Amino acid sequence: MDESFGPEYLRPAQADCPRCGCCTAALCEKGRTSFLGCRGHVDEGHRETVTGCPCSAETTRETAAWRMAQVRVTRLAAELPLTAEAELLLRGLATGRVGTGADGGELLPQLRVRGLVQLVHGMPAITQLGYTYLAARDDVREVTAVRVVDVDRKRRTARVAVPAWRPDELVTVLLDQVLCDSGLDLGSLPGRELAASANCAARSADRLVLTGFRDARTAPAPAVEAGAGHGGGA
């Protein structure tokens, strides 16, 4: 006689994400708030399947990866810019002064590895990060006052007021960026007066990039950030 050892318990199936064909809704919700995206929250066997998920990609606005990419490229422009030749090629691609058939020699690989250029049908094309890089080279960045209004622990974001930009509009930034830059603890952030480098002439919150958060009491007097304000806008 066969013995029964009770019912076989299976993990309930999770709902598919309605915005992509590779993940569950729960995974994409987590991936959007993570620098690692969806691929950082699955086992090795599923990593290839969810790699490149648009719900958490750095090319999708308001994901954690997108916010981090804006910061990364802005800091690249200010602290470790491209060579003059590589920047000239990037500006040429942005304005159409360089034909899409240009091979770029050793320059294109430098731009592609930084995410500033991609190949479209085998031809080089500037990416949105490429435009962000050029804007960061051209914009004037200054140290300005920033006030933390509130934090969202689940989404790992903070909303801040930047009076020198727009006094009545709040800006969402990465909570971990603020904590890492400033060295402050999470509990002390709401209502805290900070300082950060910003391009206060930005036309929208998406274009406003804040870097170098620090306690306002120890921040230097407002000054133009070194390496910013290069001419020849794209």
Side-chain angles (χ1 to χ4, degrees):
M1 185 174 79
D2 294 332
E3 291 285 347
S4 173
F5 294 94
E8 180 180 358
Y9 288 97
L10 299 176
R11 183 178 180 179
Q14 294 184 325
D16 291 336
C17 176
R19 292 176 293 272
C20 71
C22 56
C23 302
T24 65
L27 177 58
C28 284
E29 180 65 24
K30 183 177 291 186
R32 278 193 292 273
T33 63
S34 168
F35 305 143
L36 300 176
C38 295
R39 71 182 304 274
H41 299 277
V42 296
D43 56 42
E44 185 67 35
H46 292 88
R47 197 158 294 158
E48 183 177 349
T49 301
V50 304
T51 294
C53 174
C55 297
S56 60
E58 69 174 26
T59 53
T60 301
R61 291 182 183 276
E62 300 185 0
T63 64
W66 176 81
R67 296 187 195 282
M68 180 54 70
Q70 305 304 299
V71 173
R72 172 178 60 81
V73 169
T74 297
R75 292 192 59 185
L76 176 69
E79 301 169 16
L80 194 63
L82 301 170
T83 64
E85 294 80 7
E87 184 170 321
L88 185 63
L89 175 59
L90 187 63
R91 290 187 183 278
L93 290 171
T95 59
R97 292 195 299 267
V98 172
T100 55
D103 59 31
E106 297 180 356
L107 300 179
L108 276 178
Q110 297 177 33
L111 300 177
R112 290 183 62 194
V113 76
R114 291 169 172 82
L116 308 180
V117 166
Q118 63 184 342
L119 293 182
V120 178
H121 303 302
M123 302 299 182
I126 188 170
T127 64
Q128 287 301 314
L129 279 180
Y131 286 113
T132 298
Y133 175 90
L134 294 179
R137 292 290 288 164
D138 297 334
D139 289 348
V140 173
R141 297 185 61 79
E142 297 179 312
V143 176
T144 189
V146 175
R147 179 172 60 85
V148 180
V149 175
D150 54 38
V151 300
D152 187 328
R153 297 181 183 225
K154 180 179 180 181
R155 296 182 180 278
R156 303 300 297 177
T157 57
R159 293 194 305 164
V160 301
V162 188
W165 176 64
R166 291 179 186 171
D168 300 323
E169 185 173 345
L170 300 183
V171 180
T172 300
V173 296
L174 291 167
L175 178 57
D176 292 300
Q177 179 197 359
V178 179
L179 293 172
C180 183
D181 285 355
S182 67
L184 298 171
D185 61 272
L186 178 59
S188 70
L189 283 186
R192 192 71 174 248
E193 297 291 336
L194 304 176
S197 298
N199 52 327
C200 290
R203 292 175 290 175
S204 68
D206 282 350
R207 293 175 179 265
L208 182 71
V209 183
L210 300 172
T211 60
F213 289 93
R214 52 269 211 197
D215 192 328
R217 294 171 296 185
T218 60
V224 175
E225 185 175 278
H230 294 261

